[in-house]
Amino acid sequence: MPNPELEIDALDDVNVNSIDELRLDDASIQEARQAWTAWVAGHSSAEDAGEAILQAFFEEAPGMQSLFDIPMAAQGGKLVQALTELVSCMGVRDSLRRYLNVLGYMHMSINMPVAAVPIFRNAVLSSMRKDMGPSLNSKASDAISRLVVYAGGALIYIKTACEKRNALLLSSWKESHISDQDDAADDWQDQEDHEDADAEDAEAAANMERGEQMDADAGGMDAEILENEDIHDDEKKSNDGKPRGADSSIALPTTFDEMFQINAAVMGFQRAGTSWMVDALEVLDAMVSHITSTKRRQEETCVMALRLTFYEKSEVALSQFKACLLAALRSTLPKTWTGEHEEAWSWLWDNVVITVEANLEQIPNWSVQLGNALGAISSKRLFKLRKAIYARFFQLAPAGGNFFKQSNTRLHFIADRVLELCSDFFKDPKGMISTLSSLGLRHVGFGIPTDLFVPFLTACIQVMQMNTSNKDAQQAFQWSLILTANVLTRTITEGSTIVMKSINMNSTKALQKAISVAPRGKRATWLLHIQVGDQFISPLMWSIDSGSLKVAEAMLRDLLTIRADRQRYYFGADELFHRHPDFVRRLADKAPDMLPVLLDGLVWRSNRTVKKGTRRRVNYFVQNMLVNKKGKFADALQNIASTGNPKIISHPVLTLIVETLWNGIIRRQFMVSRLWNIISLFIYVASTEILPGVIESHPSDQTLQWALVGVRIACYTFGIGRLGAVQCHKAWIWSRNTFRKILAEIDTDGNGEIDYEEMKEAVSRFKETVTTEVKKALKLIEVDEMEAFAQEKAAAANKQSKMYNRISFSVMLLLSVMLAQDPLFMCSSAANWPTEDCPEVNANLRSRYNLFSALAMVAHFLMLIDLAVFSTEIAAFLLVVGSVMGEMTQFLTALTFLLLLFGSTISILCRACPTGGGNFNDMPNAITSLFAITVGLYQGDYRDIQEDPLLLVCVFTFVTFSVVLLLNLLIAQLNRTYEFINQDMIGFAQLNRASLIVDAMESCPKAKWNRFLKVLAFHERKEFDEGDLGLPGCILQEEDSTLNRISHEMIKRYGGSTSRSLPWPEARATKQALDIDDEEGRLEHMETILQKTLRRMDRMESITKRRHESSLGTSGISGVSGISGDTDSSDGSTGSGSEDF
């Protein structure tokens, strides 16, 4: 046990006000060094010695254990290493103070009280006395005691002094990275946020009286949406950061980075200013931006050392960086720079240099030793190592078994991944930070507590130490593993927002509570974007991917709720599609049931009626469904059409989109393309039917013959040439879009330029894609279930367009064959040409030509079926006809079986049957007669075959099965199918029209598309109710007031302050209304009412029970009183009981 008096004396000796010189005589220093070296050598490793000190320290001060959040072995090794360095610096004033500054810089987050210093000193001395006994003399003990107390006071002093330095470093760094333009923009924004609303209303009223357009004059001042901030920022960052009005020909440095590069060039460090200094500056930015976090500083310092190891030692001169850094800071902060700034930045960089240089010496060796150690582990040993890690981990943290519930193969994969990450940190530190940030953000949604990292790291380190004797490899593994864990822990901690926690609970109530404190200007961002480093995660998309659809639906409803104060409207639709351009596709694939929620949220309906109560205003916010970020046609309609759901496509929003595109772009384009089909049909009929018939009546008229030649040439030219051009154009469109996707995928450097190697890879991938698509079309390769399902959905949506493409391709082929065998051109060498009579034309050629002509006639007329898209009703009827063809196929299959069965049987029985009732003598004639009986074309009578009873029985049996059973069953199936299809036949027709629009938009000219967007005027703000100028990006319509009755205002309006930084003031009544808007809220509301009712019933029951017991007790007392009264009266006294009696 430590001596209390010694503790008090030591506490008085702790100097936390300055770093004085530690005065020790040479003999004491020598004794202390020898004793410390002997004590450390007496342990198997430095980690064991450190663990002994920490265990003794934690026994006396258990509360200090929470300050050490890395594995005990790693912490013990670092502790002994630090104490060894301090002992070696005893007697060397400057070295000791320099190392204490480094320790203070690296451990500023440890909030160690003064009283803990003597406790730690006693833990060190007690551990040494326990192992060394009398060999630890008083001189060595006193010297080590004074050293520990001196170091503890110095660290406390450094921590206190660093708090002021940290604030100075952070403020000056932020100030040096803010340009005058940013300040002006911030001032403008603050002025806008606090502008008086009454003045704005007056200005708007004046503009209306002058007849000016409110959306032109008050744009961005009355009803500005959140996403305009992003647009403003993009405009603000344009022109390479140059201030407006500056001469573009004079490139003056205005930013810190430009100042840094110029100073590097002036000092003669041009090469360094474009190589390692860039990496160092990038890491320094992250370090200073999080200067108050010791762990982040340690992490960035290690990352800087890792990144600088990729440069030559002679090239990296950290003193040069300090000179450039200070010069750039002085240049950007000429008015505020002081001596305190100079001292603070010099202190920061000097400490960074000491730590980085120490790691630079070791990292190359660590990388080699760790790679060799991991490579020397056989697969069998590696399996045992992975197994031992989890065995040890579950011993250290049994609660970890509740989170590691995957199969053993998955757990072994995780262990392999841990070893791989530790090794990769030495190979690509910058890429590993991004990888670990992405990995950590994914683990945010799993809800794994970060407390389990320490026991898992401990298990990995201990198992690794048992499997390799290489001390450098052990140290390298421990160092990289702790760095990996720090990055993951930081990412998970920063990404674990209250919104993500509500997603993990899948509770809409927790979600509403979480976002109720969000600033109104950032409410949508809280639901859509969590940024950690250069990686981000979307809470909304995570909830959809993880299956928390209840919370995802609540988030989507909140995003699509229009809120407003007196100054502006807030609507999250634009930010939703800005963050997730493929949101519709992902919903269609993973949560199609949420599509109606999305579409409903894009509609605003007024609760007021116009035109004498007959009409209602409706705003459809469909800009993001029509136009993507690049200004091109969005793929939202294609993704929804690919679901093949007729109910979704019938939603008013999609109906409006389809009708708008059809009337604005597609209808005329479609009419022109299909008009050529009608013209081709007339020409074809004239060339194959009309003119040949007229020529037969006037065979000697050469004019008609030449007219036939001209019509045939026109038929083949229009047919083959036009249809071939259409097919080539479609192939070109597909090839162009596919190649563009491939180029976007392989542009890894992100510079938008494709070099020779990337082009070669793109061509190779395109060839593979074409080969794969051809094999799929020919059914030569099999696709997986998910891809097959997606193709099936797309086929259902594009059924009519694909059928038209196939028919048009068939027409082109048939016309080509007809051209090759046309008798008119086969006789071109005849003397009396034009004629079709020549030796080259025989009967077989004519029959073949007539057959192909008939097939081409059928195909030409089938192409006209596509014109049904002009009428939804006709298109729906054709869809019904096409849908029941499956039932007809089943009927014909069964009928074919019966015809073959009975036809072959009857032909055997009737080798010489009379033919009056039908010809059944052979199988073909028997099948023909039976089929004629089935379809009612039989001309005979059953009495004609009465002479052969067996034949009569066979015919009657066939009629029973074919006519009575199959035909009636077909009618029943057709009725059933029609009832099913009829419910959604308009939706199916709309689905086909949507797919046709999507196909046609691929070839829509850019000029026509731009004119269409100009007519829609999405940039203009549209009114909600009369005089209420609302949001842009919508189409204003009016509908029948009886269709969708609205009894409440769909916009949630709030009074009070209009500052973006404040949350929405949701009152209690509003919260209750929100809570019962969804099914879960209603159930919770009913549950609350039932619980209150049950509690009231329980209280009533307990009150009734108490009253009953009280009445019984009163009766008993009355009875006792009566008996007592009688007894008293017998003694001659009078009592109340006797009177009562």
Side-chain angles (χ1 to χ4, degrees):
M1 294 293 291
N3 189 352
E5 296 180 0
L6 184 61
E7 289 185 17
I8 295 173
D9 294 340
L11 188 60
D12 294 336
D13 293 338
V14 178
N15 183 8
V16 297
N17 299 319
S18 63
I19 305 180
D20 294 332
E21 184 179 357
L22 178 64
R23 299 183 181 274
L24 294 171
D25 58 272
D26 294 339
S28 297
I29 294 174
Q30 190 65 24
E31 291 289 341
R33 288 176 178 172
Q34 292 177 359
W36 179 259
T37 304
W39 179 74
V40 174
H43 292 79
S44 60
S45 63
E47 287 80 5
D48 292 340
E51 286 187 36
I53 297 176
L54 290 175
Q55 287 176 0
F57 178 57
F58 293 151
E59 287 178 1
E60 297 299 328
M64 301 298 295
Q65 191 167 359
S66 60
L67 299 179
F68 302 91
D69 53 358
I70 64 175
M72 181 76 75
Q75 186 63 51
K78 288 185 175 183
L79 176 61
V80 171
Q81 181 182 359
L83 290 174
T84 302
E85 187 68 23
L86 288 173
V87 170
S88 65
C89 292
M90 291 172 65
V92 185
R93 179 176 176 270
D94 293 338
S95 299
L96 183 60
R97 295 189 66 175
R98 186 184 304 111
Y99 189 68
L100 285 173
N101 272 293
V102 173
L103 287 179
Y105 164 77
M106 297 299 293
H107 299 87
M108 280 189 293
S109 62
I110 299 181
N111 189 17
M112 180 175 291
V114 180
V117 175
I119 299 176
F120 182 77
R121 187 273 317 272
N122 294 340
V124 175
L125 294 178
S126 63
S127 299
M128 295 182 68
R129 291 193 184 102
K130 180 180 178 181
D131 297 332
M132 301 182 66
S135 60
L136 180 65
N137 56 40
S138 59
K139 283 189 176 182
S141 176
D142 181 65
I144 292 175
S145 174
R146 293 180 62 185
L147 175 65
V148 172
V149 172
Y150 172 77
L155 292 177
I156 294 175
Y157 168 75
I158 292 172
K159 179 182 184 302
T160 305
C162 286
E163 292 178 355
K164 183 179 179 181
R165 284 178 176 173
N166 289 340
L168 192 64
L169 290 169
L170 184 60
S171 61
S172 60
W173 186 254
K174 288 183 177 179
E175 186 180 355
S176 67
H177 284 72
I178 297 177
S179 63
D180 295 337
Q181 182 182 356
D182 295 333
D183 291 334
D186 292 339
D187 295 338
W188 175 83
Q189 188 65 54
D190 293 338
Q191 180 181 3
E192 183 191 35
D193 288 340
H194 297 88
E195 191 173 5
D196 184 72
D198 295 334
E200 293 177 351
D201 294 339
E203 181 182 356
N207 290 338
M208 292 180 64
E209 292 175 359
R210 291 192 301 266
E212 299 176 356
Q213 295 182 355
M214 291 179 62
D215 54 86
D217 291 337
M221 297 294 292
D222 299 328
E224 184 178 24
I225 60 173
L226 175 64
E227 286 70 23
N228 288 343
E229 291 182 348
D230 298 333
I231 300 174
H232 180 71
D233 291 340
D234 293 338
E235 295 175 353
K236 190 170 61 178
K237 295 177 182 177
S238 63
N239 202 21
D240 297 331
K242 297 179 183 178
R244 298 188 182 188
D247 188 358
S248 59
S249 62
I250 304 177
L252 297 177
T254 58
T255 65
F256 173 83
D257 291 338
E258 293 173 351
M259 287 290 186
F260 184 89
Q261 297 296 335
I262 286 180
N263 282 284
V266 170
M267 295 180 185
F269 308 141
Q270 292 90 341
R271 183 181 176 189
T274 57
S275 57
W276 68 269
M277 279 191 174
V278 176
D279 283 349
L281 190 63
E282 182 180 341
V283 178
L284 183 66
D285 179 47
M287 184 187 302
V288 179
S289 300
H290 304 86
I291 193 67
T292 56
S293 173
T294 302
K295 277 196 161 185
R296 186 62 183 272
R297 286 199 314 275
Q298 294 174 352
E299 173 192 323
E300 297 300 339
T301 304
C302 295
V303 172
M304 181 182 292
L306 282 167
R307 295 177 66 171
L308 293 183
T309 55
F310 290 90
Y311 299 95
E312 295 293 335
K313 262 188 174 182
S314 58
E315 184 180 354
V316 178
L318 298 177
S319 59
Q320 298 176 358
F321 184 88
K322 178 180 177 181
C324 297
L325 173 66
L326 294 178
L329 288 169
R330 294 190 202 102
S331 302
T332 52
L333 304 174
K335 297 180 180 180
T336 60
W337 187 261
T338 63
E340 293 182 353
H341 289 82
E342 190 90 16
E343 181 183 357
W345 281 99
S346 298
W347 167 83
L348 172 65
W349 185 248
D350 290 342
N351 284 291
V352 170
V353 167
I354 293 173
T355 308
V356 169
E357 286 181 343
N359 288 327
L360 281 175
E361 297 294 331
Q362 296 175 313
I363 287 176
N365 180 48
W366 282 351
S367 177
V368 174
Q369 297 298 331
L370 181 59
N372 294 337
L374 294 178
I377 301 177
S378 62
S379 58
K380 189 174 182 180
R381 281 183 57 200
L382 185 61
F383 177 81
K384 293 182 179 180
L385 184 145
R386 296 190 300 256
K387 190 175 180 181
I389 287 176
Y390 288 106
R392 182 58 179 154
F393 170 62
F394 293 140
Q395 289 178 359
L396 296 174
N402 298 327
F403 296 93
F404 288 81
K405 298 179 289 187
Q406 295 88 348
S407 63
N408 286 330
T409 56
R410 175 64 179 173
L411 295 181
H412 281 252
F413 169 79
I414 295 174
D416 280 336
R417 186 64 176 147
V418 170
L419 299 177
E420 182 182 349
L421 291 175
C422 292
S423 178
D424 289 346
F425 233 131
F426 294 99
K427 302 175 183 177
D428 183 17
K430 184 177 180 180
M432 280 300 300
I433 293 295
S434 298
T435 300
L436 291 175
S437 298
S438 177
L439 182 64
L441 285 175
R442 290 199 299 271
H443 280 73
V444 167
F446 299 149
I448 298 178
T450 55
D451 298 339
L452 294 177
F453 275 85
V454 174
F456 187 78
L457 295 184
T458 303
C460 292
I461 293 172
Q462 292 177 354
V463 172
M464 193 65 181
Q465 289 175 350
M466 292 185 296
N467 281 269
T468 180
S469 58
N470 189 331
K471 296 297 182 181
D472 289 337
Q474 293 178 7
Q475 193 173 3
F477 178 75
Q478 176 180 305
W479 186 83
S480 61
L481 182 62
I482 293 175
L483 180 58
T484 301
N486 287 341
V487 177
L488 284 175
T489 304
R490 171 179 59 82
T491 305
I492 293 174
T493 303
E494 294 177 4
S496 296
T497 63
I498 53 180
V499 175
M500 290 299 295
K501 292 178 181 178
S502 66
I503 294 174
N504 294 334
M505 294 186 291
N506 197 20
S507 170
T508 56
K509 197 170 184 180
L511 174 68
Q512 290 177 358
K513 185 177 180 181
I515 60 177
S516 63
V517 298
R520 62 186 66 178
K522 297 294 182 181
R523 187 179 179 114
T525 306
W526 279 32
L527 300 175
L528 294 172
H529 191 80
I530 297 176
Q531 183 83 32
V532 178
D534 60 348
Q535 301 294 319
F536 69 91
I537 188 174
S538 170
L540 175 61
M541 295 314 305
W542 175 262
S543 61
I544 294 175
D545 295 338
S546 62
S548 301
L549 298 183
K550 184 167 59 176
V551 176
E553 182 175 339
M555 295 169 71
L556 186 57
R557 291 184 186 278
D558 188 87
L559 283 169
L560 299 180
T561 299
I562 303 177
R563 295 178 175 85
D565 51 30
R566 296 186 306 275
Q567 191 171 359
R568 58 180 62 87
Y569 286 93
Y570 295 85
F571 187 42
D574 285 349
E575 185 166 359
L576 171 64
F577 285 95
H578 174 76
R579 301 283 186 187
H580 305 292
D582 59 343
F583 184 69
V584 175
R585 178 184 62 79
R586 299 178 73 170
L587 270 191
D589 292 340
K590 298 182 179 180
D593 292 339
M594 288 180 58
L595 283 173
V597 179
L598 171 65
L599 298 176
D600 290 340
L602 299 178
V603 181
W604 172 86
R605 288 187 172 89
S606 174
N607 61 332
R608 301 181 180 89
T609 57
V610 295
K611 296 183 180 178
K612 298 182 180 181
T614 60
R615 309 293 292 174
R616 185 187 309 277
R617 285 175 176 263
V618 185
N619 287 17
Y620 295 94
F621 293 90
V622 296
Q623 178 181 10
N624 296 295
M625 301 286 287
L626 278 171
V627 189
N628 59 21
K629 292 193 298 184
K630 297 181 179 179
K632 298 180 180 180
F633 179 63
D635 57 356
L637 184 62
Q638 177 183 1
N639 294 325
I640 294 178
S642 65
T643 62
N645 190 335
K647 291 184 173 60
I648 292 295
I649 203 67
S650 300
H651 193 278
V653 170
L654 297 177
T655 301
L656 175 69
I657 292 175
V658 170
E659 292 299 326
T660 302
L661 289 171
W662 176 256
N663 295 325
I665 298 179
I666 307 302
R667 183 173 59 182
R668 182 175 180 180
Q669 178 179 336
F670 184 82
M671 289 176 61
V672 171
S673 64
R674 297 311 184 261
L675 181 62
W676 284 107
N677 293 340
I678 298 176
I679 294 175
S680 297
L681 176 61
F682 282 134
I683 295 175
Y684 184 78
V685 172
S687 65
T688 57
E689 179 63 28
I690 298 177
L691 282 179
V694 175
I695 290 174
E696 288 182 0
S697 303
H698 306 80
S700 60
D701 193 341
Q702 287 294 319
T703 304
L704 294 177
Q705 295 286 353
W706 283 107
L708 180 62
V709 172
V711 171
R712 290 276 176 92
I713 293 176
C715 175
Y716 295 134
T717 303
F718 282 109
I720 300 175
R722 187 184 65 85
L723 293 178
V726 169
Q727 297 296 330
C728 292
H729 179 70
K730 290 182 178 180
W732 157 249
I733 293 295
W734 179 87
S735 301
R736 183 190 64 185
N737 294 339
T738 303
F739 203 74
R740 284 178 177 176
K741 291 179 181 178
I742 294 174
L743 290 178
E745 292 175 357
I746 67 173
D747 187 17
T748 54
D749 50 12
N751 58 3
E753 298 179 358
I754 304 298
D755 55 25
Y756 179 72
E757 294 298 328
E758 290 176 336
M759 180 58 69
K760 285 177 60 179
E761 183 180 357
V763 173
S764 176
R765 288 192 187 182
F766 180 75
K767 290 180 180 178
E768 293 177 0
T769 304
V770 172
T771 304
T772 303
E773 292 298 326
V774 171
K775 290 181 178 180
K776 286 181 181 179
L778 299 177
K779 307 295 183 182
L780 296 180
I781 60 174
E782 297 182 359
V783 296
D784 56 12
E785 294 182 0
M786 294 300 297
E787 186 177 357
F789 179 69
Q791 292 178 359
E792 184 179 352
K793 292 196 303 181
N798 302 324
K799 184 177 180 180
Q800 185 170 343
S801 60
K802 285 189 174 182
M803 183 61 67
Y804 174 79
N805 292 334
R806 292 169 182 170
I807 294 174
S808 62
F809 187 74
S810 301
V811 170
M812 184 182 66
L813 291 181
L814 289 171
L815 289 177
S816 301
V817 174
M818 289 175 60
L819 176 61
Q821 301 194 9
D822 193 329
L824 187 63
F825 297 107
M826 294 291 290
C827 297
S828 59
S829 59
N832 58 343
W833 193 82
T835 180
E836 294 184 355
D837 297 326
C838 63
E840 290 82 358
V841 177
N842 52 33
N844 292 331
L845 179 65
R846 290 184 181 276
S847 12
R848 287 197 304 271
Y849 179 79
N850 293 335
L851 174 62
F852 288 120
S853 299
L855 294 176
M857 182 68 75
V858 174
H860 270 91
F861 274 98
L862 289 178
M863 289 177 63
L864 299 183
I865 295 179
D866 201 35
L867 296 174
V869 73
F870 285 100
S871 173
T872 306
E873 290 75 13
I874 297 177
F877 174 76
L878 290 177
L879 285 172
V880 172
V881 173
S883 299
V884 300
M885 292 304 295
E887 312 298 335
M888 288 294 299
T889 302
Q890 297 177 8
F891 166 76
L892 292 176
T893 302
L895 181 61
T896 301
F897 175 78
L898 290 179
L899 289 173
L900 293 174
L901 172 63
F902 283 92
S904 59
T905 304
I906 293 176
S907 63
I908 296 175
L909 296 176
C910 292
R911 292 299 184 186
C913 291
T915 59
N919 188 357
F920 299 99
N921 292 329
D922 51 41
M923 184 175 175
N925 287 319
I927 291 175
T928 304
S929 300
L930 292 175
F931 182 75
I933 293 174
T934 303
V935 297
L937 297 177
Y938 182 65
Q939 298 297 325
D941 191 87
Y942 74 94
R943 286 168 291 191
D944 296 335
I945 56 176
Q946 279 184 339
E947 300 178 358
D948 193 340
L950 190 56
L951 176 61
L952 184 63
V953 170
C954 290
V955 171
F956 280 177
T957 304
F958 171 79
V959 171
T960 302
F961 280 104
S962 63
V963 179
V964 178
L965 178 61
L966 290 184
L967 281 178
N968 287 284
L969 184 60
L970 174 63
I971 294 172
Q973 286 180 323
L974 292 179
N975 285 331
R976 181 72 175 178
T977 303
Y978 180 79
E979 290 177 1
F980 173 76
I981 298 297
N982 184 59
Q983 298 174 0
D984 300 313
M985 64 178 184
I986 301 298
F988 280 114
Q990 192 84 339
L991 202 62
N992 284 328
R993 178 177 283 189
S995 62
L996 187 147
I997 289 174
V998 170
D999 290 341
M1001 287 303 299
E1002 292 183 353
S1003 58
C1004 176
K1006 185 177 181 180
K1008 180 186 289 188
W1009 173 247
N1010 291 334
R1011 289 196 302 269
F1012 173 72
L1013 293 181
K1014 187 176 180 180
V1015 171
L1016 293 180
F1018 280 132
H1019 61 283
E1020 298 179 0
R1021 289 153 52 197
K1022 307 295 193 303
E1023 286 186 341
F1024 286 121
D1025 288 317
E1026 186 177 3
D1028 182 10
L1029 194 61
L1031 296 167
C1034 64
I1035 297 177
L1036 179 61
Q1037 296 281 310
E1038 289 185 359
E1039 66 179 15
D1040 193 339
S1041 59
T1042 61
L1043 292 179
N1044 299 281
R1045 298 184 181 275
I1046 303 295
S1047 60
H1048 62 280
E1049 173 62 83
M1050 293 184 66
I1051 302 175
K1052 299 185 182 298
R1053 302 183 183 273
Y1054 300 89
S1057 174
T1058 61
S1059 174
R1060 293 175 180 268
S1061 60
L1062 295 178
W1064 293 110
E1066 300 189 11
R1068 181 176 180 84
T1070 305
K1071 287 183 179 180
Q1072 291 178 352
L1074 286 174
D1075 287 343
I1076 63 175
D1077 278 345
D1078 58 350
E1079 183 177 355
E1080 181 186 6
R1082 291 192 292 270
L1083 291 175
E1084 291 182 359
H1085 187 64
M1086 293 174 60
E1087 183 179 357
T1088 303
I1089 295 176
L1090 290 175
Q1091 288 177 351
K1092 290 181 179 179
T1093 304
L1094 290 175
R1095 286 197 297 268
R1096 190 179 296 112
M1097 293 175 63
D1098 291 340
R1099 287 197 299 269
M1100 294 297 296
E1101 184 178 356
S1102 60
I1103 292 173
T1104 304
K1105 185 176 181 180
R1106 285 198 300 270
R1107 288 178 178 176
H1108 182 64
E1109 292 176 351
S1110 176
S1111 63
L1112 291 177
T1114 303
S1115 301
I1117 293 172
S1118 300
V1120 172
S1121 300
I1123 296 173
S1124 176
D1126 293 340
T1127 306
D1128 292 339
S1129 63
S1130 63
D1131 295 337
S1133 61
T1134 307
S1136 61
S1138 61
E1139 291 176 359
D1140 292 339
F1141 180 78

